[in-house]
Amino acid sequence: MRQWHKLILLVAALLVVVLGAGSTPTRAADASYAGNTLLDYGIPADVIEVILNNSTASDGKTPAAHGETASTFTIADVEQLATVSLADVTFKADGTIASSQADDVVASWIARAKPWVDNGDPLKQTYYDITGAAYGQNVDTVVTGPAGTLAKKTITGYNTQVPEKVAVNFLFQIVASAKAATRVDLTGVASKITDSMTAQALIALFQTNRLPNLHQLVLANNNLGDLKHIIFDIGGTTVFAVTPEQNITGLDLSNNNIPTIPWGGQFPIEAKLTDLNLSGNTINVITQPLKDLLKTVIEQNGGHGDVDGLTTADQDSITWLLTLVNVTNGSIGLNDSLVNLIMQEFPAQISSAAVERYYGQMNKGTAEKILETIKTGTSVIPNGDPAANYLDIAINGPEAAFGPQSLQLSGGLNFTIQMASLPKPASDPQAAAPASVAYPASDPFMIKVALWPGSRLSAQMDAWQGPTAFNASLVFTGSATSRTDDDPALTLTPGQGGQEFYTNNSPGRQNEDFRYGQPDGNPVDLTIDPASVPLIKAGASYSTTIHWTISTSIDSTSK
């Protein structure tokens, strides 16, 4: 069930001010290779541009936004990145990453690459080396330093007498040189490699344990298959290798045609994982290494493991999965069919935490079966437990259980900007830009909302309309109780996706009143984008539309 309402905002009497540009990231200290560009290693400009447009610096901006180009982007710049991506990334309004998908330029370039030959011409053909000797060239002590591969611009592969110029190997070495990076996204780089053994061999060129600050590694959509070549033939000492000091908490292996974690396999990257994504893989066997992996992530580390493609239905597997379904300090993601199979097999053993977590996936029969065990006193859930409310939702639908959701808006937000209040541009073009000024809203604005458990109220702002180009953000602030406990501020910027305003995390229907603006509401401030200020006409009026949306993960009718 989705509802939306609009609120029109008006901005009047705006004047012009020009502010300076932001600073650029500080470059790393010079070294024997720090000033080398990625072009120097045979990596084409269009592949480099993918990195420039989808990676981020410490300030959340992309290298492209800082003015970097393929001809200027160096290894020193890579070392400063906060996130590195060879995939196409979608950013949220706050600058964090919402999603990513394979980039066709990168995937096609890697798919066209050929295995190195001694008489190869790197000016005419892109090469890689995935022989055993090549992986030893990726460790930090061999890659770095004045005699390292990055300084020499060649590696020593299977033929120790012939230096190799293998651009694909160097791409992975350079990405693994991002010492400051907390996230590396390799989504789809091998997606056009049809042979899974070759895909595994290429991904294994990435040496994960070279990145001391890495928290999240994304390897989705790479046709990795059974993982045996990485784990056994290559030895698991590259892409799945970690140091004791690393704190890698997120690993995305989704949509890789992985049937299971192979028997006898070691998976050292699992040590500190709290977010494991194996979704989109049709997993048909629960091996002991897969059990160990999930237990480490969910039970030991209190995290989440998503295995929504798990299809096994044998009794031993269902019995084992029950323990993970019932955990309170972590969670396992399963498909609807398997959730209902487990719960119908053991209705009296399903915990209250499991009901709250999976009620949205239950069918009516499953919920009724669990509820019956509660009523008869045979369930581990006692009578009067809030779990009965969630079961009621699964049986009758949320509206029958809680009543309708609703959203009412009243009042409006208006801003009048006086010329004297605007910051003046710095007289020295090199001087720092003047501090931005927040303009408070006049007039009261009220939001009244009734939400089901788990339902969310979000807001999205359209582009501003007026006689000239105009751009500004709105910041809703106030006490922590006005919105959420952990983030009371909400910033709306035109053209960005819907932003969470409030979520009902209680077990029941929640009624909330939010007051903003004058005379007694929480503040709403207008911040004008300096880039649009020179185009604004004095005395002009500008308006925009905010779309308020209630969204819920619960079906509005019974299943």
PDB file of all heavy atoms in Angstrom, residues 317-318 321-322 325 334 337-347 350:
ATOM      1  N   SER A 317      19.059 -30.648   6.838  1.00  0.00           N
ATOM      2  CA  SER A 317      19.295 -29.235   6.545  1.00  0.00           C
ATOM      3  C   SER A 317      18.235 -28.354   7.179  1.00  0.00           C
ATOM      4  O   SER A 317      18.534 -27.290   7.735  1.00  0.00           O
ATOM      5  CB  SER A 317      19.323 -29.012   5.027  1.00  0.00           C
ATOM      6  OG  SER A 317      20.414 -29.690   4.427  1.00  0.00           O
ATOM      7  N   ILE A 318      16.972 -28.797   7.109  1.00  0.00           N
ATOM      8  CA  ILE A 318      15.887 -28.008   7.697  1.00  0.00           C
ATOM      9  C   ILE A 318      16.067 -27.909   9.205  1.00  0.00           C
ATOM     10  O   ILE A 318      15.876 -26.843   9.808  1.00  0.00           O
ATOM     11  CB  ILE A 318      14.522 -28.635   7.336  1.00  0.00           C
ATOM     12  CG1 ILE A 318      14.279 -28.522   5.830  1.00  0.00           C
ATOM     13  CG2 ILE A 318      13.396 -27.956   8.103  1.00  0.00           C
ATOM     14  CD1 ILE A 318      13.053 -29.264   5.360  1.00  0.00           C
ATOM     15  N   LEU A 321      18.879 -25.460   9.865  1.00  0.00           N
ATOM     16  CA  LEU A 321      18.491 -24.077   9.569  1.00  0.00           C
ATOM     17  C   LEU A 321      17.593 -23.496  10.660  1.00  0.00           C
ATOM     18  O   LEU A 321      17.596 -22.280  10.894  1.00  0.00           O
ATOM     19  CB  LEU A 321      17.771 -24.006   8.223  1.00  0.00           C
ATOM     20  CG  LEU A 321      18.667 -24.142   6.983  1.00  0.00           C
ATOM     21  CD1 LEU A 321      17.811 -24.335   5.734  1.00  0.00           C
ATOM     22  CD2 LEU A 321      19.558 -22.915   6.830  1.00  0.00           C
ATOM     23  N   LEU A 322      16.833 -24.349  11.340  1.00  0.00           N
ATOM     24  CA  LEU A 322      15.964 -23.874  12.415  1.00  0.00           C
ATOM     25  C   LEU A 322      16.761 -23.105  13.467  1.00  0.00           C
ATOM     26  O   LEU A 322      16.294 -22.084  13.991  1.00  0.00           O
ATOM     27  CB  LEU A 322      15.240 -25.054  13.065  1.00  0.00           C
ATOM     28  CG  LEU A 322      14.393 -24.731  14.295  1.00  0.00           C
ATOM     29  CD1 LEU A 322      13.220 -23.823  13.928  1.00  0.00           C
ATOM     30  CD2 LEU A 322      13.900 -26.011  14.958  1.00  0.00           C
ATOM     31  N   VAL A 325      17.323 -19.659  12.113  1.00  0.00           N
ATOM     32  CA  VAL A 325      16.070 -18.909  12.047  1.00  0.00           C
ATOM     33  C   VAL A 325      15.721 -18.337  13.411  1.00  0.00           C
ATOM     34  O   VAL A 325      15.184 -17.223  13.521  1.00  0.00           O
ATOM     35  CB  VAL A 325      14.933 -19.819  11.530  1.00  0.00           C
ATOM     36  CG1 VAL A 325      13.556 -19.183  11.768  1.00  0.00           C
ATOM     37  CG2 VAL A 325      15.127 -20.104  10.037  1.00  0.00           C
ATOM     38  N   LEU A 334      16.273 -16.054   3.928  1.00  0.00           N
ATOM     39  CA  LEU A 334      15.822 -17.227   3.180  1.00  0.00           C
ATOM     40  C   LEU A 334      14.659 -16.841   2.277  1.00  0.00           C
ATOM     41  O   LEU A 334      13.977 -15.848   2.521  1.00  0.00           O
ATOM     42  CB  LEU A 334      15.377 -18.335   4.140  1.00  0.00           C
ATOM     43  CG  LEU A 334      16.425 -18.828   5.149  1.00  0.00           C
ATOM     44  CD1 LEU A 334      15.760 -19.733   6.183  1.00  0.00           C
ATOM     45  CD2 LEU A 334      17.551 -19.567   4.442  1.00  0.00           C
ATOM     46  N   SER A 337       9.498 -19.755   0.341  1.00  0.00           N
ATOM     47  CA  SER A 337       9.177 -21.182   0.355  1.00  0.00           C
ATOM     48  C   SER A 337       9.888 -21.907   1.478  1.00  0.00           C
ATOM     49  O   SER A 337       9.285 -22.718   2.207  1.00  0.00           O
ATOM     50  CB  SER A 337       9.535 -21.799  -1.004  1.00  0.00           C
ATOM     51  OG  SER A 337       9.291 -23.192  -0.998  1.00  0.00           O
ATOM     52  N   LEU A 338      11.174 -21.618   1.656  1.00  0.00           N
ATOM     53  CA  LEU A 338      11.942 -22.304   2.691  1.00  0.00           C
ATOM     54  C   LEU A 338      11.549 -21.835   4.085  1.00  0.00           C
ATOM     55  O   LEU A 338      11.510 -22.637   5.030  1.00  0.00           O
ATOM     56  CB  LEU A 338      13.438 -22.086   2.448  1.00  0.00           C
ATOM     57  CG  LEU A 338      14.407 -22.999   3.209  1.00  0.00           C
ATOM     58  CD1 LEU A 338      14.046 -24.469   3.023  1.00  0.00           C
ATOM     59  CD2 LEU A 338      15.836 -22.749   2.756  1.00  0.00           C
ATOM     60  N   VAL A 339      11.245 -20.547   4.237  1.00  0.00           N
ATOM     61  CA  VAL A 339      10.766 -20.045   5.530  1.00  0.00           C
ATOM     62  C   VAL A 339       9.512 -20.798   5.962  1.00  0.00           C
ATOM     63  O   VAL A 339       9.399 -21.269   7.108  1.00  0.00           O
ATOM     64  CB  VAL A 339      10.494 -18.525   5.462  1.00  0.00           C
ATOM     65  CG1 VAL A 339       9.681 -18.067   6.681  1.00  0.00           C
ATOM     66  CG2 VAL A 339      11.796 -17.745   5.381  1.00  0.00           C
ATOM     67  N   ASN A 340       8.558 -20.923   5.063  1.00  0.00           N
ATOM     68  CA  ASN A 340       7.306 -21.615   5.408  1.00  0.00           C
ATOM     69  C   ASN A 340       7.516 -23.103   5.632  1.00  0.00           C
ATOM     70  O   ASN A 340       6.879 -23.701   6.503  1.00  0.00           O
ATOM     71  CB  ASN A 340       6.271 -21.373   4.312  1.00  0.00           C
ATOM     72  CG  ASN A 340       5.669 -19.982   4.377  1.00  0.00           C
ATOM     73  OD1 ASN A 340       4.776 -19.713   5.163  1.00  0.00           O
ATOM     74  ND2 ASN A 340       6.196 -19.066   3.564  1.00  0.00           N
ATOM     75  N   LEU A 341       8.429 -23.718   4.873  1.00  0.00           N
ATOM     76  CA  LEU A 341       8.717 -25.138   5.060  1.00  0.00           C
ATOM     77  C   LEU A 341       9.279 -25.393   6.453  1.00  0.00           C
ATOM     78  O   LEU A 341       8.842 -26.319   7.159  1.00  0.00           O
ATOM     79  CB  LEU A 341       9.711 -25.601   3.993  1.00  0.00           C
ATOM     80  CG  LEU A 341      10.120 -27.076   4.025  1.00  0.00           C
ATOM     81  CD1 LEU A 341       8.914 -27.973   3.770  1.00  0.00           C
ATOM     82  CD2 LEU A 341      11.215 -27.344   2.995  1.00  0.00           C
ATOM     83  N   ILE A 342      10.230 -24.593   6.880  1.00  0.00           N
ATOM     84  CA  ILE A 342      10.843 -24.762   8.206  1.00  0.00           C
ATOM     85  C   ILE A 342       9.817 -24.540   9.307  1.00  0.00           C
ATOM     86  O   ILE A 342       9.725 -25.317  10.269  1.00  0.00           O
ATOM     87  CB  ILE A 342      12.028 -23.796   8.365  1.00  0.00           C
ATOM     88  CG1 ILE A 342      13.154 -24.143   7.385  1.00  0.00           C
ATOM     89  CG2 ILE A 342      12.554 -23.804   9.804  1.00  0.00           C
ATOM     90  CD1 ILE A 342      14.223 -23.081   7.274  1.00  0.00           C
ATOM     91  N   MET A 343       9.023 -23.493   9.165  1.00  0.00           N
ATOM     92  CA  MET A 343       8.092 -23.142  10.236  1.00  0.00           C
ATOM     93  C   MET A 343       6.911 -24.102  10.321  1.00  0.00           C
ATOM     94  O   MET A 343       6.388 -24.339  11.420  1.00  0.00           O
ATOM     95  CB  MET A 343       7.611 -21.703  10.032  1.00  0.00           C
ATOM     96  CG  MET A 343       8.721 -20.690  10.230  1.00  0.00           C
ATOM     97  SD  MET A 343       8.157 -18.998  10.315  1.00  0.00           S
ATOM     98  CE  MET A 343       9.654 -18.170  10.849  1.00  0.00           C
ATOM     99  N   GLN A 344       6.507 -24.665   9.203  1.00  0.00           N
ATOM    100  CA  GLN A 344       5.432 -25.658   9.273  1.00  0.00           C
ATOM    101  C   GLN A 344       5.943 -26.989   9.809  1.00  0.00           C
ATOM    102  O   GLN A 344       5.181 -27.761  10.396  1.00  0.00           O
ATOM    103  CB  GLN A 344       4.812 -25.842   7.888  1.00  0.00           C
ATOM    104  CG  GLN A 344       4.055 -24.609   7.410  1.00  0.00           C
ATOM    105  CD  GLN A 344       2.852 -24.946   6.556  1.00  0.00           C
ATOM    106  OE1 GLN A 344       2.321 -26.051   6.616  1.00  0.00           O
ATOM    107  NE2 GLN A 344       2.402 -23.977   5.783  1.00  0.00           N
ATOM    108  N   GLU A 345       7.239 -27.244   9.617  1.00  0.00           N
ATOM    109  CA  GLU A 345       7.827 -28.482  10.135  1.00  0.00           C
ATOM    110  C   GLU A 345       8.006 -28.414  11.653  1.00  0.00           C
ATOM    111  O   GLU A 345       7.838 -29.423  12.354  1.00  0.00           O
ATOM    112  CB  GLU A 345       9.183 -28.715   9.461  1.00  0.00           C
ATOM    113  CG  GLU A 345       9.864 -30.011   9.836  1.00  0.00           C
ATOM    114  CD  GLU A 345       9.166 -31.236   9.241  1.00  0.00           C
ATOM    115  OE1 GLU A 345       8.396 -31.078   8.261  1.00  0.00           O
ATOM    116  OE2 GLU A 345       9.384 -32.343   9.759  1.00  0.00           O
ATOM    117  N   PHE A 346       8.340 -27.213  12.172  1.00  0.00           N
ATOM    118  CA  PHE A 346       8.596 -27.059  13.613  1.00  0.00           C
ATOM    119  C   PHE A 346       7.798 -25.879  14.177  1.00  0.00           C
ATOM    120  O   PHE A 346       8.391 -24.948  14.749  1.00  0.00           O
ATOM    121  CB  PHE A 346      10.087 -26.828  13.852  1.00  0.00           C
ATOM    122  CG  PHE A 346      10.988 -27.876  13.269  1.00  0.00           C
ATOM    123  CD1 PHE A 346      11.712 -27.614  12.112  1.00  0.00           C
ATOM    124  CD2 PHE A 346      11.116 -29.119  13.867  1.00  0.00           C
ATOM    125  CE1 PHE A 346      12.559 -28.563  11.569  1.00  0.00           C
ATOM    126  CE2 PHE A 346      11.963 -30.081  13.331  1.00  0.00           C
ATOM    127  CZ  PHE A 346      12.677 -29.816  12.170  1.00  0.00           C
ATOM    128  N   PRO A 347       6.466 -25.858  14.096  1.00  0.00           N
ATOM    129  CA  PRO A 347       5.706 -24.671  14.507  1.00  0.00           C
ATOM    130  C   PRO A 347       5.851 -24.336  15.992  1.00  0.00           C
ATOM    131  O   PRO A 347       5.845 -23.161  16.367  1.00  0.00           O
ATOM    132  CB  PRO A 347       4.264 -25.034  14.155  1.00  0.00           C
ATOM    133  CG  PRO A 347       4.235 -26.527  14.159  1.00  0.00           C
ATOM    134  CD  PRO A 347       5.563 -26.937  13.629  1.00  0.00           C
ATOM    135  N   ILE A 350       9.341 -22.365  16.917  1.00  0.00           N
ATOM    136  CA  ILE A 350       9.663 -21.077  16.322  1.00  0.00           C
ATOM    137  C   ILE A 350       9.646 -20.009  17.409  1.00  0.00           C
ATOM    138  O   ILE A 350       8.661 -19.855  18.131  1.00  0.00           O
ATOM    139  CB  ILE A 350       8.676 -20.720  15.201  1.00  0.00           C
ATOM    140  CG1 ILE A 350       8.672 -21.815  14.134  1.00  0.00           C
ATOM    141  CG2 ILE A 350       9.021 -19.371  14.590  1.00  0.00           C
ATOM    142  CD1 ILE A 350      10.015 -22.084  13.495  1.00  0.00           C
TER     143      ILE A 350
END
